[in-house]
Amino acid sequence: MQDLTEQQLYQALQYAKSIDEENGKLIMSQFETDQPILFQTIFGIFPSILADKNQDMAHLFMDLCFEVICVYQNALGDVPKAIDDPTWMERQAVLLETEFQLLRQNASVDNTKKSILQGYFIKDNENPVQVGLVKFLNESIDEFASASVSRVPFIEFTQAMIFVVVKLFNNLYDEPITQ
């Protein structure tokens, strides 16, 4: 998958920001229907982990995940429909094992090691991440967290989680599990 151009990303983000509540509900409902396991992971499991740390950041995370859905849908087409493959999420967990380790060990990973790992994953030639999208999402997290000192300690954790979501979407669109 190629990185979205700046223009494609801008248009997709404008689309995401322009969606009204009714259409947003339809998008979420369709995503849940098309990808029930991924939906539960992104909007159930991940936010609950973050909510244990900071409720505000969990809400932001879910808002940003909605934007990720909209960006991919707008730029790359409808979300691929899931087939009866209960191992897809397990395979993704294996592929993203290092990212998940970063999430679990976030407090103990020093900045040098974290920078090296993030650089490695962003430049992964076999399955690159959408660098512009990740940058935009990270800036959104930074901006939101700066409004309250209680959110600041959870910036990196939230950014790591949103990075995993973007990688999951890349994998979903790269290796569609459609019929």
Side-chain angles (χ1 to χ4, degrees), residues 160-172:
M161 289 183 72
I162 203 71
F163 181 80
V164 169
V165 170
V166 172
K167 289 288 280 188
L168 285 169
F169 269 83
N170 272 5
N171 293 350
L172 179 65

Side-chain angles (χ1 to χ4, degrees), residues 57 138 141-142 145-146 151-160:
M57 296 299 271
N138 284 346
I141 293 166
D142 287 340
S146 69
R151 300 173 187 161
V152 172
F154 308 104
I155 291 173
E156 290 178 2
F157 187 78
T158 307
Q159 288 175 338

Side-chain angles (χ1 to χ4, degrees), residues 39-173:
F39 178 89
Q40 180 56 34
T41 301
I42 292 173
F43 291 101
I45 297 169
F46 287 177
S48 68
I49 293 168
L50 191 51
D52 288 343
K53 298 175 182 312
N54 185 284
Q55 190 70 39
D56 291 341
M57 296 299 271
H59 288 287
L60 172 68
F61 174 80
M62 289 188 289
D63 290 345
L64 294 177
C65 287
F66 175 77
E67 288 186 21
V68 169
I69 293 169
C70 293
V71 165
Y72 276 81
Q73 183 180 39
N74 180 267
L76 302 170
D78 290 338
V79 173
K81 292 181 179 18
I83 59 170
D84 189 19
D85 183 1
T87 65
W88 186 83
M89 201 62 207
E90 292 172 28
R91 289 194 316 272
Q92 300 315 301
V94 169
L95 291 172
L96 299 170
E97 182 176 345
T98 305
E99 283 97 336
F100 286 123
Q101 286 176 356
L102 261 179
L103 287 174
R104 287 191 302 266
Q105 300 170 358
N106 190 48
S108 65
V109 176
D110 67 30
N111 287 336
T112 304
K113 184 176 180 184
K114 189 179 298 178
S115 295
I116 291 168
L117 288 171
Q118 287 173 343
Y120 170 77
F121 291 114
I122 287 174
K123 293 177 179 146
D124 178 359
N125 291 330
E126 290 184 28
N127 194 9
V129 72
Q130 295 293 333
V131 177
L133 178 58
V134 170
K135 182 179 180 208
F136 170 81
L137 296 168
N138 284 346
E139 288 171 357
S140 297
I141 293 166
D142 287 340
E143 182 180 327
F144 180 78
S146 69
S148 172
V149 71
S150 66
R151 300 173 187 161
V152 172
F154 308 104
I155 291 173
E156 290 178 2
F157 187 78
T158 307
Q159 288 175 338
M161 289 183 72
I162 203 71
F163 181 80
V164 169
V165 170
V166 172
K167 289 288 280 188
L168 285 169
F169 269 83
N170 272 5
N171 293 350
L172 179 65
Y173 276 82

